[in-house]
Amino acid sequence: MAAPQTPAQASKKALLSRVDLDGHALPPSPAPSSPHPGARRYALATELVYTDSKDQYGASSIPIYQSATFKQTSSSGGNEYDYTRSGNPTRTHLERHMAKIMNANRALAVGSGMGALDVITRLLKPGDEVITGDDLYGGTNRLLTYLKNNQGVIVHHVDSTNVDRVKEAITDKTAMVLLETPTNPLIKIVDIVSIARISHEANSKALVVVDNTMLSPMLLNPLDLGADIVYESGTKYLSGHHDIMAGIIACNNPELGDKMYFTINSTGCGLSPNDSFLLMRGVKTLAIRMERQQSNAQRIAEYLEEHGFKVRYPGLKSHPQYDLHWSMARGAGAVLSFETQDVALSERIVEAARLWGISVSFGCVNSLISMPCRMSHASIDAKTRQERQMPEDIIRLCVGIEDVEDLIDDLRNALIQAGAITFTIDDIHAKNVDGEESSSSAA
Ligand SMILES: Cc1ncc(COP(=O)(O)O)c(C=O)c1O
Ligand SMILES: N[C@@H](CCSC[C@H](N)C(=O)O)C(=O)O
């Protein structure tokens, strides 16, 4: 066994990981990380926008190869592209760009986040065991339940915020450990580093898979933390405008990449050329969108907390796993939830909001408000929601890039109109569920 690294060795390694010593250690990409061989690797904000293509006219954005088939130069075929289900230049360009951004050897683009999870779970066979969390996106829960009921896959839902619970559940049949962090919608933090380590130690064949939709590669790189596969709903932050559905899968093991590509080619779920173009365009602004969305989310989380609501957001020091989150991530993201302890009150708040659109999804430039138990997580039955301690009154806010004062104004109006707070010239009083009132100076 290799000797453990000293802190000095670890920090040198971390430093060197951003240096592109051999000119281009990453996968074949539309552009090297840095155009200067041996130079420091560009920062992520630069990599997001820096791309190149071998377009014959020097087009500065990747052309949309809207073609199902590609003519071959010989009767035995064999050209790089033959049929868009198998491969398309616009999709390849996006995939290589995403691999670079996600620090991966291979990225694959498919038609939705759920499509990505479908491709990943096709690595499983009957009798395999999956360990996953007890606070999961509703669609993920639905697909896992389908696999359990129809494909002979055994699914264990455990409290994934407790590393020991995960450890206890690992057996020699564990084929996959599937994690989300922060969880959707309870914003619980999962220790990817420890879980990846104990999973691999206990069963070297277990694949650690992380759904990184809530943070995006801008804020978290699960592959760098020990995960084997990372996937994201490209419908959210990666594209950023709620105008496409997409999913991205990334990994560092070429064999795994080939297996998942095989499924994509076999089932035809690869991302269309047009949507690949839109995702490529959207991802270029990820850094500035995320920066603004996060700073707005932080202000809004503080506003709600100051007025007495129970707020779940890893940017708040009151988050019970604040330190764990910041040991892994570069930011808190822009999704938060809060409780009113009264379902009818929550409904009134959501319906009174105007600037905040009542909508599922997140990661868009527009701000959204929703009640997860009625909307995004309605596919989890009420009994299971109760067992998993999902508060029925929980309101989720997915913060966009609007002016933060406008967002706060609209939220304040909705809270007043719904009767969640009383507003006087000097004070704002938050009416807590138990009937108590807490007050703070008018904002
Ligand atoms: C955390 C998370 N993962 C995956 C998905 C699935 O993504 P998509 O809607 O693109 O299929 C969603 C939302 O839909 C999500 O919230
Ligand atoms: N009706 C949809 C709901 C999609 S929820 C989208 C997103 N992940 C979110 O958390 O808001 C379904 O049944 O999947």
Side-chain angles (χ1 to χ4, degrees):
M1 209 170 118
Q5 282 186 340
T6 64
Q9 284 169 327
S11 78
K12 196 166 155 199
K13 195 172 163 210
L15 198 72
L16 283 176
S17 73
R18 299 299 297 175
V19 180
D20 206 5
L21 284 177
D22 60 359
H24 188 20
L26 286 161
S29 167
S33 168
S34 160
H36 310 293
R40 183 182 72 88
R41 234 181 106 175
Y42 284 145
L44 196 49
T46 310
E47 283 188 338
L48 285 166
V49 287
Y50 179 64
T51 178
D52 215 349
S53 79
K54 292 190 203 110
D55 176 66
Q56 58 184 320
Y57 300 113
S60 30
S61 73
I62 179 74
I64 305 170
Y65 284 88
Q66 191 68 40
S67 182
T69 60
F70 297 84
K71 284 184 186 161
Q72 303 299 296
T73 40
S74 92
S75 57
S76 49
N79 283 17
E80 191 176 357
Y81 297 100
D82 70 339
Y83 196 57
T84 279
R85 173 161 42 70
S86 308
N88 177 285
T90 316
R91 185 160 77 226
T92 306
H93 186 90
L94 167 74
E95 290 177 337
R96 291 179 177 175
H97 191 65
M98 291 310 304
K100 190 168 63 174
I101 287 158
M102 296 165 93
N103 239 356
N105 171 284
R106 180 95 186 252
L108 298 158
V110 296
S112 70
M114 290 321 302
L117 185 59
D118 179 44
V119 168
I120 296 165
T121 53
R122 282 174 195 246
L123 295 166
L124 298 168
K125 50 186 195 321
D128 279 349
E129 295 189 8
V130 175
I131 301 172
T132 191
D134 57 3
D135 179 32
L136 283 180
Y137 162 54
T140 304
N141 190 75
R142 179 171 51 203
L143 179 55
L144 292 175
T145 307
Y146 174 85
L147 294 174
K148 187 173 89 178
N149 294 340
N150 299 281
Q151 305 286 321
V153 172
I154 297 140
V155 182
H156 302 284
H157 290 275
V158 301
D159 176 2
S160 54
T161 63
N162 185 329
V163 178
D164 291 335
R165 289 290 92 77
V166 178
K167 193 173 179 178
E168 282 158 20
I170 300 174
T171 70
D172 57 357
K173 293 211 177 66
T174 305
M176 199 171 278
V177 179
L178 175 59
L179 308 171
E180 258 181 48
T181 188
T183 61
N184 177 10
L186 298 184
I187 322 289
K188 294 198 248 172
I189 310 301
V190 171
D191 184 347
I192 298 175
V193 181
S194 302
I195 294 181
R197 184 174 36 78
I198 57 128
S199 302
H200 292 140
E201 275 169 12
N203 180 343
S204 58
K205 291 202 193 91
L207 293 173
V208 176
V209 178
V210 178
D211 178 340
N212 196 35
T213 307
M214 287 282 267
L215 292 179
S216 89
M218 198 59 222
L219 305 181
L220 186 77
N221 261 4
L223 294 177
D224 294 350
L225 301 181
D228 300 292
I229 302 177
V230 58
Y231 73 101
E232 302 203 8
S233 164
T235 317
K236 314 284 186 327
Y237 291 104
L238 296 179
S239 57
H241 295 75
H242 279 170
D243 47 11
I244 58 160
M245 302 291 301
I248 297 286
I249 307 167
C251 66
N252 272 320
N253 176 334
E255 217 177 296
L256 263 183
D258 286 347
K259 278 188 188 165
M260 293 189 285
Y261 165 75
F262 179 87
T263 300
I264 293 168
N265 189 24
S266 307
T267 62
C269 61
L271 193 63
S272 73
N274 199 53
D275 286 343
S276 296
F277 168 84
L278 286 171
L279 183 49
M280 183 68 205
R281 183 173 69 172
V283 82
K284 290 184 186 176
T285 53
L286 175 63
I288 51 167
R289 281 187 279 110
M290 187 56 104
E291 200 179 306
R292 173 65 169 250
Q293 285 176 265
Q294 277 197 116
S295 73
N296 282 357
Q298 183 71 32
R299 279 282 306 282
I300 286 154
E302 285 165 5
Y303 171 84
L304 287 167
E305 188 169 61
E306 275 162 23
H307 295 109
F309 293 99
K310 179 177 175 194
V311 184
R312 299 167 189 256
Y313 183 60
L316 292 176
K317 291 255 166 60
S318 57
H319 192 293
Q321 297 164 295
Y322 180 89
D323 290 337
L324 173 61
H325 178 81
W326 288 94
S327 72
M328 299 185 292
R330 297 180 283 270
V335 178
L336 58 114
S337 52
F338 70 102
E339 285 155 59
T340 66
Q341 319 283 351
D342 178 343
V343 176
L345 180 61
S346 294
E347 281 170 2
R348 290 200 300 276
I349 295 170
V350 169
E351 286 169 14
R354 288 292 166 268
L355 185 53
W356 298 80
I358 307 177
S359 174
V360 291
S361 204
F362 53 88
C364 177
V365 288
N366 298 96
S367 291
L368 309 174
I369 189 166
S370 66
M371 289 188 68
C373 293
R374 303 282 169 82
M375 300 169 69
S376 50
H377 292 66
S379 59
I380 304 178
D381 61 81
K383 184 169 160 279
T384 310
R385 289 201 303 266
Q386 197 180 14
E387 282 162 8
R388 295 185 189 170
Q389 294 172 353
M390 274 181 71
E392 294 289 312
D393 61 297
I394 199 164
I395 296 177
R396 194 180 70 180
L397 296 178
C398 304
V399 185
I401 64 169
E402 302 90 339
D403 181 276
V404 72
E405 298 307 330
D406 288 337
L407 288 173
I408 291 178
D409 254 11
D410 195 67
L411 191 57
R412 184 192 295 116
N413 287 338
L415 293 170
I416 295 168
Q417 205 177 313
I421 54 173
T422 52
F423 184 65
T424 66
I425 200 77
D426 312 308
D427 274 319
I428 288 177
H429 301 273
K431 194 161 176 274
N432 292 336
V433 214
D434 47 36
E436 279 171 30
E437 291 195 350
S438 62
S439 73
S440 76
S441 312

